[in-house]
Amino acid sequence: MNDDVQLDAIDRSILNELQRDGRLPNQDLAQRVHLSPSACLRRVKRLEESGVIDRYVALLNPKAVGKQGTSYTIINLERMTTAALAAFEEAVLASPDILDCFYVAGSNDYLIRFAYKDAEDLERFHTYVLMQLPEVARSNSMLVLRTIKRSTAFEL
Amino acid sequence: MNDDVQLDAIDRSILNELQRDGRLPNQDLAQRVHLSPSACLRRVKRLEESGVIDRYVALLNPKAVGKQGTSYTIINLERMTTAALAAFEEAVLASPDILDCFYVAGSNDYLIRFAYKDAEDLERFHTYVLMQLPEVARSNSMLVLRTIKRSTAFEL
DNA sequence: GGTGAAAAGTTAGCTTT
DNA sequence: AAAGCTAACTTTTCACC
């Protein structure tokens, strides 16, 4: 995982295409970036092996798999001891509906993204956060009401 | 985009595998879910066509494409008029480094995810948010210091 | 970086359960 | 109605230019 791979204009074109469509056939990709299939594949393999391309995933429609919505919650811990952080993070990793968790700078401490099936599920999460997670002092939940923009792709 | 497709245990296995590896060859996938390749492919196509699978993407290593980090910013708008919201959202859509933007419930209004190249880039973003975006009253930035968990996959 | 042929994977028609 | 078999077709891969 070298973080300093040099990318030229063609590499960036390849990455832009694959960020949009991870299953674009190599032959189509080659055509779009004006290379022969073999030259194109060599570049893609190099991008995969150097870790520029981390992985390929299928993105699901949340509603179609029974997820009504998403919420973001900011959580303050009571005590910031090493043991308290470790216990909190272990609990977060064990909860499958917590999609993301970041330790953030600022007055607040953790930011969690959570996908819920219904109102009951959301309430269960709140109870869990406030009661079951160790050392939680305050939490501030933000329900996503509307998505203006959502992207997995970086601008290159 | 039917939101009420019935998924059986095999469909859920398929989705779990493809959420982890969007480029898993159909033959390998078939083996993992104990189906013949043709039966497996029929199910994958059905999941794609019914919109359960939204799309396939390549995920890049942020560092490898020159992104040092991510920040989340909560933004309050001065006036919540239709025109103010539209102007703000238009500006957000026009900024390529704003990855996500959600309108959220609670005392705050918008939550933005931003990927930055370096400290300068981050400062440029803050100046942009506070000075250039229309009607911004207050903003509260949270720099991601550490990622405990990050997932694009739903628990099925 | 390109060419072309072998290997691998995809897909569709038909049969079976 | 859904799964398996088979064979044609497409795509990937790789030695060589």
Side-chain angles (χ1 to χ4, degrees):
Chain A
M1 296 271 175
N2 182 355
D3 286 353
D4 271 323
V5 187
Q6 281 312 312
L7 303 174
D8 66 14
I10 296 178
D11 289 325
R12 285 193 295 272
S13 298
I14 289 173
L15 293 172
N16 276 327
E17 295 294 339
L18 292 178
Q19 284 190 110
R20 259 181 243 136
D21 179 1
R23 276 196 164 184
L24 190 64
N26 183 58
Q27 294 187 98
D28 299 5
L29 177 59
Q31 224 175 345
R32 292 201 195 177
V33 302
H34 311 293
L35 281 182
S36 68
S38 65
C40 183
L41 186 66
R42 269 196 294 267
R43 280 173 180 264
V44 172
K45 291 293 170 205
R46 191 174 63 80
L47 292 167
E48 288 169 1
E49 276 149 29
S50 64
V52 176
I53 295 174
D54 180 41
R55 53 205 257 268
Y56 300 90
V57 297
L59 300 180
L60 309 188
N61 175 348
K63 297 261 174 67
V65 295
K67 300 295 186 182
Q68 202 177 98
T70 305
S71 83
Y72 283 85
T73 303
I74 299 168
I75 294 174
N76 276 95
L77 291 200
E78 194 86 56
R79 289 176 301 185
M80 298 297 288
T81 62
T82 309
L85 295 192
F88 176 82
E89 291 177 17
E90 202 182 322
V92 163
L93 290 172
S95 168
D97 292 326
I98 295 180
L99 298 177
D100 300 341
C101 176
F102 307 104
Y103 182 68
V104 297
S107 56
N108 292 302
D109 301 320
Y110 286 97
L111 180 65
I112 282 179
R113 181 167 68 101
F114 175 80
Y116 59 90
K117 282 201 258 299
D118 49 34
E120 235 181 277
D121 197 25
L122 185 61
E123 197 203 329
R124 203 175 306 121
F125 169 69
H126 279 119
T127 309
Y128 176 75
V129 164
L130 294 170
M131 311 299 285
Q132 308 300 312
L133 287 184
E135 304 284 352
V136 171
R138 283 189 308 287
S139 75
N140 170 23
S141 243
M142 297 172 284
L143 217 68
V144 172
L145 297 181
R146 196 157 54 83
T147 299
I148 288 89
K149 186 178 197 173
R150 173 140 183 76
S151 173
T152 57
F154 293 109
E155 182 72 11
L156 305 176
Chain B
M1 293 268 180
N2 181 355
D3 284 355
D4 271 320
V5 187
Q6 281 312 314
L7 304 174
D8 67 13
I10 297 178
D11 289 325
R12 284 192 295 271
S13 298
I14 289 174
L15 293 172
N16 276 329
E17 295 295 338
L18 292 178
Q19 284 191 109
R20 259 182 245 136
D21 180 1
R23 275 198 166 183
L24 190 64
N26 183 57
Q27 295 189 104
D28 299 4
L29 178 59
Q31 223 174 347
R32 294 201 193 175
V33 303
H34 311 295
L35 281 181
S36 69
S38 61
C40 183
L41 186 66
R42 270 195 293 266
R43 279 172 180 265
V44 172
K45 292 293 172 204
R46 192 174 63 79
L47 291 167
E48 287 170 0
E49 275 150 30
S50 64
V52 176
I53 295 174
D54 180 39
R55 52 204 256 269
Y56 299 92
V57 297
L59 300 181
L60 309 188
N61 174 348
K63 297 261 174 66
V65 294
K67 300 295 186 181
Q68 203 177 97
T70 305
S71 83
Y72 283 86
T73 304
I74 298 168
I75 294 174
N76 278 94
L77 291 200
E78 195 86 58
R79 290 175 299 184
M80 297 298 288
T81 62
T82 310
L85 295 192
F88 176 82
E89 291 176 18
E90 200 182 323
V92 163
L93 291 171
S95 168
D97 293 328
I98 295 180
L99 298 176
D100 299 342
C101 177
F102 307 105
Y103 182 68
V104 296
S107 57
N108 292 302
D109 300 321
Y110 286 97
L111 179 65
I112 282 180
R113 181 167 68 102
F114 175 80
Y116 59 90
K117 283 201 258 300
D118 49 35
E120 236 180 279
D121 197 25
L122 185 60
E123 198 203 328
R124 205 175 305 119
F125 169 69
H126 279 118
T127 309
Y128 176 74
V129 163
L130 294 170
M131 309 300 283
Q132 307 300 311
L133 287 184
E135 304 285 349
V136 171
R138 284 188 309 288
S139 75
N140 170 24
S141 243
M142 296 173 285
L143 217 67
V144 172
L145 297 180
R146 196 158 54 82
T147 299
I148 288 88
K149 187 180 199 172
R150 174 142 184 73
S151 173
T152 58
F154 293 108
E155 182 73 10
L156 305 176

